[in-house]
Amino acid sequence: MPELPDIEVYRESLEDRIEGRVLNAVRLRNPFLLRTAVPPIADAAGRRVKELRRLGKRIVIGLEGGLFLVIHLMIAGRLHWRDAGDGKEPRNVLAAFAFDDGTLYLTEAGSKRRASLHLVAGEDALRALDPGGIDVMSIDAAAFARALRARNHTLKRALTDPHIFSGIGNAYSDEILHAAKLSPLALTSKMSDDEIARLFAATRATLALWIGRLRDEAHGRFPEKVSAFRDGMAVHGRYGKPCPVCGAPVQRIVYADNETNYCARCQTGGRILADRALSRLLHDDWPRNIDELG
């Protein structure tokens, strides 16, 4: 799922291309993409784009007259830009937003249709789509600590809860926790002031690092290779590969359709965290410490 760094670079790329331009037409290829009926989607056509915003993991296209197109890419949704005259349309198109100088396409791979499009009128209606998490790039350490301690969760859950923090998901939470040298299963209620300060610094530094990397990678072009798995990540998607800091094999916890990646030596004092499926299967053979892996 595209997260804060990906969405921010999408936003910047769209700002360069469509801010101030007139949206000529919205063409829907899948009627289930649109989750609102009022105002009708036809009302978006003919309006000039006034601004681009990020709302958590959503992209907001602000139009004249107080209308907002809100795009949530979910897991497999992606955006693509084609300049006018480029007839090569991307695959799996759900919607196309036509401008004089090009077309913005919303696509979604796979058979599940989770991506969504809303058209809402007014700031109040837009706020209703906001899960309410705070933006860690615009708060201070004290506000971060208050938000973290407001509920007793594991650090992994707290970082990825959109009601607590805005825009952080599975991939970048792994990277943040590795940078902070903290266990994903540590409880927020038991965090020391120093640990929270370290987590706050690591969160801001990791997100800023990846915004910069993705911006440099796009190099003025529209970002076409948005992925949760990227070269240069320390632990996310790197199960079994060496930690770039200590060389120990990266570990994982698998749950439902997700997994958490971490370095036992850097983050948990060498302890291997129990995986619900494998640890139950292996019982006494489940390794408890990174050194037992040989």
Side-chain angles (χ1 to χ4, degrees):
M1 178 183 292
E3 301 176 28
L4 189 155
D6 312 279
I7 297 299
E8 181 60 21
V9 175
Y10 266 147
R11 187 198 65 77
E12 292 174 355
S13 297
L14 287 172
E15 195 171 65
D16 290 342
R17 287 163 176 80
I18 66 174
E19 189 174 48
R21 306 278 184 173
V22 173
L23 175 60
N24 294 326
V26 179
R27 298 189 290 270
L28 298 180
R29 303 285 180 83
N30 187 311
F32 299 106
L33 173 71
L34 183 64
R35 307 299 170 84
T36 51
V38 179
I41 194 64
D43 282 7
R47 296 177 188 260
R48 194 173 302 275
V49 175
K50 294 187 64 178
E51 61 176 327
L52 277 299
R53 301 186 197 176
R54 180 183 63 82
L55 187 69
K57 296 176 186 174
R58 296 166 172 82
I59 296 169
V60 179
I61 303 175
L63 303 172
E64 288 176 321
L67 295 187
F68 299 95
L69 286 164
V70 185
I71 299 170
H72 197 333
L73 298 171
M74 294 299 292
I75 295 174
R78 297 293 184 270
L79 297 176
H80 307 270
W81 176 263
R82 295 292 184 268
D83 290 329
D86 184 348
K88 190 176 181 181
E89 187 176 287
R91 299 173 60 187
N92 305 312
V93 173
L94 299 183
F97 305 86
F99 297 85
D100 286 342
D101 57 344
T103 301
L104 175 67
Y105 292 97
L106 169 56
T107 69
E108 187 172 24
S111 59
K112 295 180 179 179
R113 293 290 172 254
R114 294 172 175 168
S116 66
L117 173 67
H118 292 74
L119 178 65
V120 298
E123 293 284 350
D124 288 344
L126 181 61
R127 277 192 291 272
L129 297 176
D130 186 353
I134 57 178
D135 185 350
V136 295
M137 305 304 284
S138 61
I139 59 171
D140 60 16
F144 180 84
R146 286 194 298 272
L148 194 69
R149 285 173 165 153
R151 303 173 178 87
N152 187 27
H153 292 320
T154 64
L155 289 185
K156 176 72 174 186
R157 182 180 172 189
L159 285 175
T160 57
D161 187 336
H163 303 287
I164 302 175
F165 298 114
S166 172
I168 303 173
N170 197 42
Y172 291 103
S173 61
D174 282 351
E175 297 299 290
I176 288 166
L177 290 168
H178 180 265
K181 298 186 181 302
L182 292 169
S183 168
L185 298 189
L187 292 174
T188 57
S189 62
K190 297 182 178 181
M191 297 283 290
S192 69
D193 291 344
D194 287 345
E195 287 173 329
I196 291 179
R198 195 162 81 235
L199 180 61
F200 176 62
T203 301
R204 288 171 64 97
T206 299
L207 294 175
L209 171 69
W210 280 100
I211 290 171
R213 284 184 178 181
L214 299 181
R215 186 184 288 142
D216 291 344
E217 182 182 289
H219 197 60
R221 298 183 297 272
F222 197 82
E224 293 284 348
K225 296 181 179 179
V226 173
S227 171
F229 307 98
R230 292 188 176 275
D231 292 339
M233 284 187 162
V235 290
H236 183 72
R238 290 178 50 82
Y239 173 63
K241 296 180 180 178
C243 166
V245 174
C246 72
V250 170
Q251 301 302 307
R252 68 181 176 187
I253 307 168
V254 178
Y255 52 99
D257 293 331
N258 294 315
E259 67 177 58
T260 294
N261 298 124
Y262 68 98
C263 173
R265 185 162 290 150
C266 291
Q267 297 175 247
T268 63
R271 186 167 62 92
I272 295 179
L273 304 175
D275 177 289
R276 288 182 183 177
L278 285 177
S279 61
R280 288 176 181 172
L281 177 66
L282 296 177
H283 295 291
D284 292 341
D285 290 330
W286 177 256
R288 299 294 189 266
N289 190 284
I290 191 68
D291 294 327
E292 293 181 29
L293 296 178

